[in-house]
DNA sequence: GAGGCCATTTGATCCGTATCAATGTCGCGC
DNA sequence: GCGCGACATTGATACGGATCAAATGGCCTC
């Protein structure tokens, strides 16, 4: 069904050349290519809760998230919604070669995007092949992640789903997490219970119950509603149902 | 985690130059590029039920399916399995730049692959940018499909899931379907009930029951266990829960 | 501090799908 | 033709998560 929008994880590094870190797009760029990127970029800001794109929207840009968190989701006619991606800083929004968005993008926290006008960006891509290569690598990684998430949605229990989500947040959002002595960790949940339920294909009540259950089992502790303390990460990993050997830790 | 293998839908056309139809990879190739492709390709055959790749396997090739059907799936420690992709003729297996397979690939029917040795193929990609561009387009399409499937897995009822799968098979496997007068269609299911359940995140019993239910409702008819007759495709579409307006028909 | 709003938790019950088990059907080799 | 095995259907029951409903807690405004 058509069209048009992906989130690509950009392995950004501060390149020292520019206020935003779009170095990954151009990590192998010559200085003059960097200048071209510089020329076609601009910024956009969105407040928490604000929609960034609706499915079907015309997109005149591709973008990289500088700060904040957004969700990528799909809503059925009757209102059932499924989150299909969680966009963190350095993730990529948009798709070269397509004009319309295929999913809804919503800012969960305040978000700043570094946008590149689509046409010039596509032009740049054809002129500098390694940008396309980098995008291909990132897209293939995203595809693997999406497929792994299918297993979560299709085969895991509610408890395993929650553990999997907590682990993803713990691993991906380096800025919000803090290592504890031993194999523990503290981090803040960027999502409401409802957003978590949209991600996991559950109801918000079930999410709440399972978080309580994990707390009662001593797997996690809560400080307020959003801060999660994991005394021993291995215990949480054990709850995901995943193969422990194959799993990369943090 | 991580790594390594994607299925990319190749829009193959018989190019008249070669017994297998790898034209899509090279639809914009110059004749001499075609010759290079010709040099690095070879064939492999697999019998129905045979594994093509196991997750973690070293892959020395990328390939395009010439004939037959394969599945892409993931199995948890305890045996729960989730199919994450259905590979039909013209689909692409493998991933340039990665050495190991991330998912299991199994031949459902007898399968013939047209393989390209990975290194030379990657070399070719860097020399002829439009091959990479084509792969990027295909991968982005696959990513969209994967995300749409997440909604099926996370939010649809068993009946809606079955209808969605039937529709996908009806739409994708042109070789096996036959248009009926009016808005009807006949096609053969390439999958066992168990494979369908793996795809849909259900049990095989539930699959069987829901197919029976659709039959009793008159949405579909069965001829034997595998041949499906859909008197009116619109009726089936109505069962998917999808937005009818947005749906492309066939 | 009172009141209101929103996110979250908790409780009671219902329903859809899983599970366990038996039966049916088709194709194939002997 | 018979029996076997693979695949599929159907039935009875259990259980996990959804649904409907109410209570709690934090935070903000007035």
């Amino acid at each position: 069904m058509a069209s048009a929008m992906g989130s690509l994880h950009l392995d950004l590094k501060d390149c020292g050349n520019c206020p935003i870190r779009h170095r990954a797009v151009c990590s192998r760029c010559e200085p003059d290519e960097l200048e071209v990127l510089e020329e076609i970029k601009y910024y956009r800001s969105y407040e928490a809760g604000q929609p960034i794109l609706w499915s079907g929207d015309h997109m005149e840009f591709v973008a990289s998230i500088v700060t904040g968190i957004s969700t990528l989701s799909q809503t059925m006619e009757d209102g059932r919604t499924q989150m299909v991606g969680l966009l963190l800083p350095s993730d990529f929004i948009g798709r070269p070669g397509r004009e319309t968005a295929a999913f809804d993008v919503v800012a969960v926290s305040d978000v700043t995007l570094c946008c590149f006008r689509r046409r010039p960006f596509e032009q740049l891509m054809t002129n500098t092949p390694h940008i396309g290569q980098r995008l291909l690598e990132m897209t293939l990684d995203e595809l693997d992640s999406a497929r792994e998430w299918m297993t979560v949605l299709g085969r895991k229990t509610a408890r395993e789903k929650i553990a999997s989500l907590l682990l993803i947040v713990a691993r991906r959002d380096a800025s919000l997490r803090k290592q504890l002595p031993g194999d523990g960790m503290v981090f803040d949940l960027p999502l409401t219970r409802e957003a978590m339920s949209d991600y996991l294909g559950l109801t918000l009540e079930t999410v709440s119950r399972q978080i309580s259950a994990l707390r009662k089992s001593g797997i996690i502790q809560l400080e307020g509603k959003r801060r999660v303390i994991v005394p021993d990460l291995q215990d949480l990993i054990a709850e995901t149902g995943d193969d422990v050997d194959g799993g990369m830790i943090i």
Side-chain angles (χ1 to χ4, degrees), chain A residues 16-27:
Chain A
N17 271 341
C18 49
I20 61 105
R21 309 162 300 162
H22 62 244
R23 185 64 189 279
V25 185
C26 54
S27 57

Side-chain angles (χ1 to χ4, degrees), chain A residues 2 8 15 22 31 56 76 106 110 122 126 131 154 157 178 194 204 206:
Chain A
L8 310 170
C15 62
H22 62 244
M76 296 171 65
V106 179
D110 290 352
E122 286 166 7
T126 58
I131 291 183
T157 64
K178 201 172 68 181
E194 188 181 18
L204 67 92
T206 297

Side-chain angles (χ1 to χ4, degrees), chain A residues 124-180:
Chain A
L124 188 67
M125 264 186 61
T126 58
N127 294 338
T128 57
H130 57 253
I131 291 183
Q133 286 168 23
R134 179 80 188 107
L135 274 176
L136 176 57
E137 282 171 29
M138 294 189 302
T139 308
L140 285 165
D141 286 344
E142 276 297 309
L143 184 55
D144 281 351
S145 305
R147 286 175 161 154
E148 275 162 25
W149 200 250
M150 284 187 203
T151 303
V152 174
L153 291 174
R155 291 303 185 192
K156 288 194 177 181
T157 64
R159 187 182 176 101
E160 289 170 337
K161 285 178 173 181
I162 296 288
S164 301
L165 178 55
L166 291 179
L167 216 49
I168 281 191
V169 172
R171 284 172 174 164
R172 284 196 60 192
D173 198 346
S175 63
L176 291 184
R177 74 172 183 239
K178 201 172 68 181
Q179 203 86 31
L180 287 183

Side-chain angles (χ1 to χ4, degrees), chain A residues 58-105:
Chain A
H58 179 81
M59 297 186 63
E60 82 274 22
F61 60 85
V62 297
S64 170
I65 296 188
V66 182
T67 61
I69 294 175
S70 307
T71 61
L72 197 60
S73 60
Q74 189 168 27
T75 301
M76 296 171 65
E77 297 171 273
D78 59 7
R80 282 177 283 178
T81 84
Q82 176 65 51
M83 199 186 302
V84 297
L86 188 60
L87 310 181
L88 301 178
S90 89
D91 278 351
F92 193 81
I93 295 175
R95 144 179 303 204
R98 293 291 185 86
E99 303 214 325
T100 49
F103 301 101
D104 302 329
V105 185

